[in-house]
Amino acid sequence: MTILDRNEIWAQAFELGEMILRTPEVDHYKKCEQQMNDNKELASMVAKFKEMQENYDRLAEYSQGAHLDSLRQDMRKMQTELDAYPEVQAYKAAMGKVDELLQAVTGKIAATISEKSGE
């Protein structure tokens, strides 16, 4: 068995990341993301939603109360509006496929480690 140092592992992990970037799943994800960004109305709504999330997170860190409930309701309403856009639906589906790919790769790495550690 050959012992690798951390630098070799990081180099191979970087190479694996580069390979994943060139998969059809990631390519489709990038195209879906670009379609969302190309829709100016949608891009504006997404930016507003992210700002609402940041405000909520900041406020929730230090307090609780009705003002947070109201903001949470506004965020749910806006999320529903965003989810109605076909671009958002396609983006979420593409993100799910990328997640599946990453989980499969992670699972394969874990299985390989488990199999090989018993040798």
Side-chain angles (χ1 to χ4, degrees), residues 71-84:
L71 185 53
R72 191 177 15 244
Q73 287 175 346
D74 290 345
M75 289 171 53
R76 283 189 193 124
K77 181 181 177 201
M78 182 172 271
Q79 183 66 60
T80 301
E81 291 174 21
L82 286 169
D83 287 344

Side-chain angles (χ1 to χ4, degrees), residues 13-93:
F14 179 80
E15 185 178 325
L16 178 59
E18 290 290 320
M19 290 171 62
I20 290 170
L21 277 173
R22 294 189 302 269
T23 62
E25 293 87 350
V26 172
D27 185 55
H28 182 64
Y29 169 82
K30 288 178 183 180
K31 287 177 183 172
C32 289
E33 184 178 40
Q34 188 59 51
Q35 288 175 344
M36 282 184 29
N37 292 334
D38 289 345
N39 182 330
K40 299 300 178 199
E41 178 184 346
L42 178 56
S44 175
M45 285 181 69
V46 168
K48 184 177 178 184
F49 184 77
K50 286 180 180 179
E51 183 179 322
M52 290 172 74
Q53 279 183 315
E54 289 172 8
N55 287 337
Y56 178 84
D57 291 344
R58 198 170 319 125
L59 289 170
E61 196 172 323
Y62 299 106
S63 67
Q64 295 180 357
H67 63 287
L68 286 177
D69 292 339
S70 174
L71 185 53
R72 191 177 15 244
Q73 287 175 346
D74 290 345
M75 289 171 53
R76 283 189 193 124
K77 181 181 177 201
M78 182 172 271
Q79 183 66 60
T80 301
E81 291 174 21
L82 286 169
D83 287 344
Y85 281 85
E87 294 94 338
V88 172
Q89 294 167 12
Y91 175 79
K92 285 185 172 186

Side-chain angles (χ1 to χ4, degrees), residues 100-114:
E100 287 174 14
L101 173 64
L102 294 174
Q103 287 178 13
V105 169
T106 302
K108 183 62 176 170
I109 291 169
T112 301
I113 291 170
S114 293

Side-chain angles (χ1 to χ4, degrees), residues 1 112-119:
M1 174 163 82
T112 301
I113 291 170
S114 293
E115 289 171 13
K116 300 290 180 177
S117 65
E119 292 180 357

